[in-house]
Amino acid sequence: MTERQLEDGEALILSVLLKRANDWNGGPVNLSALRVCDMDDGGMGSLRFVSGKNHPRYGRTVAEGWFKDLDGVPVALALFVDRDEDLFELDSWKVDFTPRLRLPQDETEVRDGPPSGN
């Protein structure tokens, strides 16, 4: 997998979800220093955080959110940490499983919780 930095919209999503992760104390996160790999998810935008671990494994979900894509279809978001409480994945999927068309441009677009159809 090819490593890269976060795009602006991805950094915005992560920033919002980190603020909502009340039961996770991973310390301050330098968004510009994070490296990610795109996951093979059909273009829905999921990311794996690069770590020095050989086989990091899902630990738990620490925050959820969603935003509306250009076509009005909700894009669900979930921030996962691994078993050591380090950032693991930013899961992103359109509820109709089509490719994501855009990233949010403003924090107010990233709504709390799972999609509600609003």
Side-chain angles (χ1 to χ4, degrees):
M1 288 193 234
T2 304
E3 294 180 20
R4 64 174 179 80
Q5 291 183 297
L6 291 170
E7 295 178 16
D8 290 343
E10 294 165 341
L12 183 141
I13 289 168
L14 185 55
S15 174
V16 170
L17 294 182
L18 285 169
K19 289 176 190 173
R20 294 181 185 163
N22 294 327
D23 64 340
W24 179 71
N25 188 16
V29 176
N30 181 349
L31 297 179
S32 62
L34 285 176
R35 305 290 293 169
V36 295
C37 294
D38 294 301
M39 297 178 67
D40 185 15
D41 66 356
M44 289 188 279
S46 295
L47 304 172
R48 166 92 32 105
F49 294 97
V50 175
S51 73
K53 299 174 185 178
N54 286 332
H55 301 289
R57 297 184 57 184
Y58 170 82
R60 64 191 180 97
T61 304
V62 295
E64 291 182 291
W66 66 281
F67 67 94
K68 284 189 181 181
D69 209 347
L70 282 176
D71 56 8
V73 176
V75 178
L77 307 164
L79 180 59
F80 304 144
V81 294
D82 66 18
R83 292 182 178 183
D84 297 321
E85 293 287 300
D86 295 323
L87 293 176
F88 178 57
E89 290 178 3
L90 174 59
D91 203 9
S92 173
W93 68 98
K94 281 183 73 169
V95 299
D96 67 354
F97 302 105
T98 59
R100 187 191 67 215
L101 303 172
R102 72 173 189 100
L103 288 165
Q105 302 294 308
D106 187 86
E107 287 187 10
T108 60
E109 291 184 68
V110 183
R111 300 175 187 180
D112 197 13
S116 64
N118 296 333

